[in-house]
Amino acid sequence: MMNIILTGATGTLGSKVLYELLTSKFDEIQTLFLLVRNKNKSSATERIQNVLQSEFAPIFIKENSATIAAKIKVIAPDDFFTPSTFLVSEDKNYFIHSAGYVNLSLDPNQKDEIFEENYGFTERLFNTYEDYISKFIYISTAFSIGDIGGVIENDYLKTDQNQYRNEYETSKHRVEKFLVEEGKNRNIKVQILRPSVLGGDILDVPNFFISKYMVFYLFAKFFYKSTSSENIRISVKENTGLNIIPTDYVAKVIVKVFDMGIEQLNIVHSKGTNLINGISKILETVDFNNFSFTEEIINDEVGYETNLEKFYYETIGKHLSPYLNSKPHEWDTTLLESILPIPQYDLVTYLEDTITFAKAKNFRNERW
């Protein structure tokens, strides 16, 4: 029997990891400790109850609520850094750190906050729990390698020649290096798992569900909510693709590999969605038609042709453009596919279906 300490259980990926642990590892888990923050007027316990009682929770969880509740212990913020009150160092304790601060801002004033939430918080967790855990599993991002072209392999720690697109990538990669180095120094097993952009479910029912709409969903939401009929030029590098991976697939891989002897693994699709085809389909799905593509970088210096264009590049466009203009690349998924084959589906149709699902929910995040 083992214990799992999980952060981020109310997040997009963490909630799916929670579901997957409960459905596929139920008999192997003694206690599932969930480190959860209070939010607004909801306590940590209430937030977890909302996740477990969601209409999108697996049937197994709904039908076994009492036995599942007995296995779960919610750890509120005041007790995050006192593991001696709920853990025994001799037990087999796995720490899965899924919580993270996704902020693609280029504003230098936000650097300290981004690093504190990603690097600082993780460092404190690792230092605090080092005597109580058998292994520390860190959920990073496939983009922590920065903007490099060509074939990307699983080992991100052999090079320092990274061209980071933002402080989010920088902070995540810095965490990876810290954990692997300190894990070896302190004789603690460390595993780095890196999902790419999260999309709607493809294996679980209902298909295309996701609890929080971010990244390409924000792009879709921007134009879905826009009342402007003005034209806009979208800056995209012709051969660049966006790697999108269904959230439920990622969660299943994490739960399969967290107790395996794999140090680094990118959880990505074997192919990227061509951005020109993908963006065209997104905008068609949200009924926005006044757009064109350019490889020119649009900013204040170049100037804007319309108010809508200016608004886009001063808001989400500022954060997304570095990804829409990345160097062409692909990931080596040989190891990943030996663990769990990537589902087969048409990439552009999948993108259309995920946006259609989001539209039906008015791009409203789950209130967890």
Side-chain angles (χ1 to χ4, degrees):
M1 297 291 283
M2 60 182 164
N3 298 313
I4 306 288
I5 306 101
L6 175 66
T7 67
T10 59
T12 300
L13 178 56
S15 58
K16 294 298 294 188
V17 172
L18 173 61
Y19 289 160
E20 192 64 28
L21 286 169
L22 289 171
T23 53
S24 65
K25 295 283 188 179
F26 185 81
D27 293 334
E28 301 173 48
I29 295 174
Q30 180 171 318
T31 306
L32 186 51
F33 297 97
L34 306 179
L35 276 60
V36 185
R37 291 169 171 165
N38 302 323
K39 185 176 181 180
N40 299 328
K41 296 181 179 180
S42 298
S43 68
T45 299
E46 289 170 338
R47 295 183 69 197
I48 290 300
Q49 288 175 343
N50 289 338
V51 173
L52 297 176
Q53 295 170 5
S54 167
E55 62 177 304
F56 300 105
I59 294 176
F60 174 83
I61 292 176
K62 295 176 182 177
E63 293 181 346
N64 296 275
S65 57
T67 53
I68 284 173
K71 288 213 173 193
I72 289 177
K73 182 174 178 58
V74 178
I75 308 299
D78 290 347
D79 297 320
F80 279 7
F81 296 99
T82 56
S84 60
T85 61
F86 57 90
L87 291 178
V88 176
S89 58
E90 289 77 17
D91 289 347
K92 184 183 289 186
N93 302 319
Y94 290 90
F95 197 119
I96 303 178
H97 186 25
S98 180
Y101 182 49
V102 181
N103 184 338
L104 308 182
S105 175
L106 304 178
D107 183 353
N109 293 325
Q110 296 193 40
K111 176 180 177 179
D112 289 346
E113 181 182 6
I114 293 170
F115 263 79
E116 173 56 29
E117 288 292 329
N118 288 319
Y119 185 90
F121 183 59
T122 304
E123 181 183 38
R124 289 199 302 279
L125 287 175
F126 186 78
N127 291 339
T128 300
Y129 285 81
E130 64 172 307
D131 294 330
Y132 295 90
I133 55 175
S134 306
K135 189 174 184 179
F136 193 94
I137 299 94
Y138 180 59
I139 311 304
S140 186
T141 171
F143 301 96
S144 67
I145 192 68
D147 186 11
I148 65 172
V151 178
I152 302 175
E153 299 180 347
N154 291 294
D155 187 355
Y156 280 19
L157 306 180
K158 60 185 178 184
T159 177
D160 290 318
Q161 305 302 313
N162 304 83
Q163 298 178 22
Y164 301 114
R165 283 162 286 221
N166 48 53
E167 297 299 342
Y168 170 69
E169 292 182 352
T170 309
S171 66
K172 297 292 273 191
H173 199 214
R174 191 79 57 82
V175 172
E176 294 178 17
K177 291 180 178 180
F178 165 78
L179 290 174
V180 171
E181 180 178 352
E182 289 304 311
K184 291 176 180 177
N185 291 340
R186 308 182 202 187
N187 197 30
I188 299 172
K189 294 179 181 178
V190 169
Q191 184 180 69
I192 311 295
L193 304 178
R194 306 187 190 94
S196 58
V197 175
L198 297 175
D201 292 348
I202 197 69
L203 299 170
D204 293 341
V205 177
N207 284 168
F208 315 119
F209 166 75
I210 193 168
S211 66
K212 188 174 183 180
Y213 298 105
M214 300 180 66
V215 193
F216 69 93
Y217 287 103
L218 291 177
F219 180 89
K221 182 179 180 180
F222 178 92
F223 291 100
Y224 177 64
K225 298 289 187 179
S226 175
T227 58
S228 174
S229 59
E230 294 180 316
N231 294 317
I232 182 172
R233 295 169 298 165
I234 299 173
S235 179
V236 179
K237 187 171 288 186
E238 183 178 359
N239 295 322
T240 296
L242 182 63
N243 197 285
I244 303 172
I245 193 74
T247 304
D248 55 349
Y249 173 78
V250 175
K252 293 178 193 302
V253 171
I254 289 171
V255 173
K256 274 184 171 290
V257 304
F258 77 87
D259 57 352
M260 292 183 180
I262 296 173
E263 186 177 77
Q264 300 179 61
L265 178 67
N266 298 327
I267 310 177
V268 299
H269 202 284
S270 56
K271 298 179 180 178
T273 304
N274 178 272
L275 278 171
I276 290 180
N277 293 339
I279 289 174
S280 297
K281 182 57 68 174
I282 288 174
L283 295 180
E284 174 188 319
T285 305
V286 299
D287 300 317
F288 186 88
N289 302 303
N290 299 325
F291 65 93
S292 61
F293 295 108
T294 177
E295 291 200 358
E296 184 178 20
I297 302 299
I298 307 297
N299 52 35
D300 287 334
E301 294 180 5
V302 173
Y304 308 109
E305 292 187 350
T306 65
N307 289 329
L308 177 63
E309 190 171 275
K310 183 175 188 293
F311 184 48
Y312 168 78
Y313 285 104
E314 288 181 345
T315 53
I316 65 167
K318 182 188 299 183
H319 304 150
L320 297 182
S321 285
Y323 293 94
L324 303 188
N325 290 277
S326 295
K327 298 172 184 175
H329 58 270
E330 60 182 285
W331 276 273
D332 180 355
T333 59
T334 305
L335 176 59
L336 175 65
E337 299 221 52
S338 72
I339 297 164
L340 184 65
I342 297 170
Q344 298 297 306
Y345 52 84
D346 181 79
L347 298 181
V348 175
T349 302
Y350 167 79
L351 195 55
E352 177 183 11
D353 290 338
T354 60
I355 300 304
T356 299
F357 187 95
K359 276 178 57 181
K361 296 202 64 169
N362 201 31
F363 293 87
R364 185 179 62 255
N365 296 329
E366 293 300 303
R367 296 180 179 178
W368 296 341

